[in-house]
mmCIF file of all heavy atoms in Angstrom:
data_model
loop_
_atom_site.group_PDB
_atom_site.id
_atom_site.type_symbol
_atom_site.label_atom_id
_atom_site.label_comp_id
_atom_site.label_asym_id
_atom_site.label_seq_id
_atom_site.Cartn_x
_atom_site.Cartn_y
_atom_site.Cartn_z
ATOM 1 N N SER A 227 241.725 -113.861 79.573
ATOM 2 C CA SER A 227 241.065 -113.474 80.821
ATOM 3 C C SER A 227 242.002 -112.614 81.654
ATOM 4 O O SER A 227 243.218 -112.698 81.524
ATOM 5 C CB SER A 227 240.676 -114.723 81.597
ATOM 6 O OG SER A 227 239.869 -115.586 80.822
ATOM 7 N N PRO A 228 241.441 -111.788 82.545
ATOM 8 C CA PRO A 228 242.305 -110.998 83.436
ATOM 9 C C PRO A 228 243.109 -111.926 84.346
ATOM 10 O O PRO A 228 242.669 -113.015 84.698
ATOM 11 C CB PRO A 228 241.296 -110.180 84.248
ATOM 12 C CG PRO A 228 240.031 -110.211 83.472
ATOM 13 C CD PRO A 228 240.023 -111.519 82.740
ATOM 14 N N LEU A 229 244.295 -111.477 84.727
ATOM 15 C CA LEU A 229 245.107 -112.240 85.660
ATOM 16 C C LEU A 229 244.542 -112.108 87.067
ATOM 17 O O LEU A 229 243.950 -111.082 87.419
ATOM 18 C CB LEU A 229 246.552 -111.738 85.640
ATOM 19 C CG LEU A 229 247.307 -111.812 84.314
ATOM 20 C CD1 LEU A 229 248.725 -111.274 84.490
ATOM 21 C CD2 LEU A 229 247.330 -113.227 83.767
ATOM 22 N N THR A 230 244.741 -113.140 87.859
ATOM 23 C CA THR A 230 244.342 -113.069 89.257
ATOM 24 C C THR A 230 245.366 -112.222 90.016
ATOM 25 O O THR A 230 246.492 -112.000 89.530
ATOM 26 C CB THR A 230 244.278 -114.467 89.887
ATOM 27 O OG1 THR A 230 245.610 -115.007 89.931
ATOM 28 C CG2 THR A 230 243.380 -115.387 89.087
ATOM 29 N N PRO A 231 245.015 -111.737 91.203
ATOM 30 C CA PRO A 231 245.999 -110.975 91.997
ATOM 31 C C PRO A 231 247.291 -111.744 92.213
ATOM 32 O O PRO A 231 248.387 -111.177 92.154
ATOM 33 C CB PRO A 231 245.256 -110.717 93.311
ATOM 34 C CG PRO A 231 243.809 -110.689 92.920
ATOM 35 C CD PRO A 231 243.683 -111.737 91.843
ATOM 36 N N ARG A 232 247.196 -113.049 92.482
ATOM 37 C CA ARG A 232 248.390 -113.867 92.696
ATOM 38 C C ARG A 232 249.226 -113.955 91.425
ATOM 39 O O ARG A 232 250.458 -113.853 91.468
ATOM 40 C CB ARG A 232 248.006 -115.268 93.171
ATOM 41 C CG ARG A 232 249.187 -116.202 93.369
ATOM 42 C CD ARG A 232 250.165 -115.656 94.404
ATOM 43 N NE ARG A 232 250.120 -116.419 95.633
ATOM 44 C CZ ARG A 232 250.809 -116.128 96.721
ATOM 45 N NH1 ARG A 232 251.596 -115.080 96.740
ATOM 46 N NH2 ARG A 232 250.696 -116.876 97.807
ATOM 47 N N GLU A 233 248.577 -114.120 90.275
ATOM 48 C CA GLU A 233 249.297 -114.194 88.998
ATOM 49 C C GLU A 233 249.987 -112.869 88.694
ATOM 50 O O GLU A 233 251.129 -112.856 88.210
ATOM 51 C CB GLU A 233 248.327 -114.575 87.884
ATOM 52 C CG GLU A 233 247.864 -116.029 87.948
ATOM 53 C CD GLU A 233 246.688 -116.331 87.042
ATOM 54 O OE1 GLU A 233 246.052 -115.373 86.536
ATOM 55 O OE2 GLU A 233 246.386 -117.524 86.852
ATOM 56 N N ARG A 234 249.310 -111.758 88.978
ATOM 57 C CA ARG A 234 249.945 -110.453 88.764
ATOM 58 C C ARG A 234 251.153 -110.282 89.677
ATOM 59 O O ARG A 234 252.201 -109.764 89.251
ATOM 60 C CB ARG A 234 248.937 -109.326 88.992
ATOM 61 C CG ARG A 234 247.894 -109.182 87.902
ATOM 62 C CD ARG A 234 247.190 -107.844 87.989
ATOM 63 N NE ARG A 234 246.400 -107.719 89.205
ATOM 64 C CZ ARG A 234 245.138 -108.106 89.327
ATOM 65 N NH1 ARG A 234 244.516 -108.653 88.293
ATOM 66 N NH2 ARG A 234 244.495 -107.955 90.472
ATOM 67 N N GLU A 235 251.015 -110.708 90.910
ATOM 68 C CA GLU A 235 252.123 -110.608 91.857
ATOM 69 C C GLU A 235 253.313 -111.433 91.389
ATOM 70 O O GLU A 235 254.463 -110.966 91.402
ATOM 71 C CB GLU A 235 251.667 -111.082 93.239
ATOM 72 C CG GLU A 235 252.734 -110.977 94.323
ATOM 73 C CD GLU A 235 252.256 -111.490 95.674
ATOM 74 O OE1 GLU A 235 251.275 -112.270 95.697
ATOM 75 O OE2 GLU A 235 252.863 -111.127 96.693
ATOM 76 N N LEU A 236 253.032 -112.642 90.960
ATOM 77 C CA LEU A 236 254.096 -113.531 90.502
ATOM 78 C C LEU A 236 254.787 -112.959 89.257
ATOM 79 O O LEU A 236 256.023 -112.947 89.163
ATOM 80 C CB LEU A 236 253.504 -114.907 90.203
ATOM 81 C CG LEU A 236 254.474 -116.049 89.887
ATOM 82 C CD1 LEU A 236 253.905 -117.368 90.415
ATOM 83 C CD2 LEU A 236 254.689 -116.170 88.383
ATOM 84 N N LEU A 237 253.992 -112.466 88.312
ATOM 85 C CA LEU A 237 254.578 -111.920 87.084
ATOM 86 C C LEU A 237 255.345 -110.636 87.359
ATOM 87 O O LEU A 237 256.344 -110.340 86.695
ATOM 88 C CB LEU A 237 253.477 -111.684 86.046
ATOM 89 C CG LEU A 237 253.939 -111.470 84.603
ATOM 90 C CD1 LEU A 237 254.754 -112.661 84.104
ATOM 91 C CD2 LEU A 237 252.749 -111.239 83.673
ATOM 92 N N GLN A 238 254.886 -109.873 88.356
ATOM 93 C CA GLN A 238 255.596 -108.659 88.740
ATOM 94 C C GLN A 238 257.011 -109.004 89.217
ATOM 95 O O GLN A 238 257.974 -108.321 88.863
ATOM 96 C CB GLN A 238 254.831 -107.948 89.854
ATOM 97 C CG GLN A 238 255.419 -106.588 90.234
ATOM 98 C CD GLN A 238 255.092 -105.517 89.214
ATOM 99 O OE1 GLN A 238 253.935 -105.256 88.927
ATOM 100 N NE2 GLN A 238 256.115 -104.906 88.652
#
Side-chain angles (χ1 to χ4, degrees):
S227 304
L229 300 180
T230 66
R232 178 60 109 184
E233 288 167 347
R234 287 196 294 272
E235 182 181 21
L236 188 147
L237 196 58
Q238 186 76 57

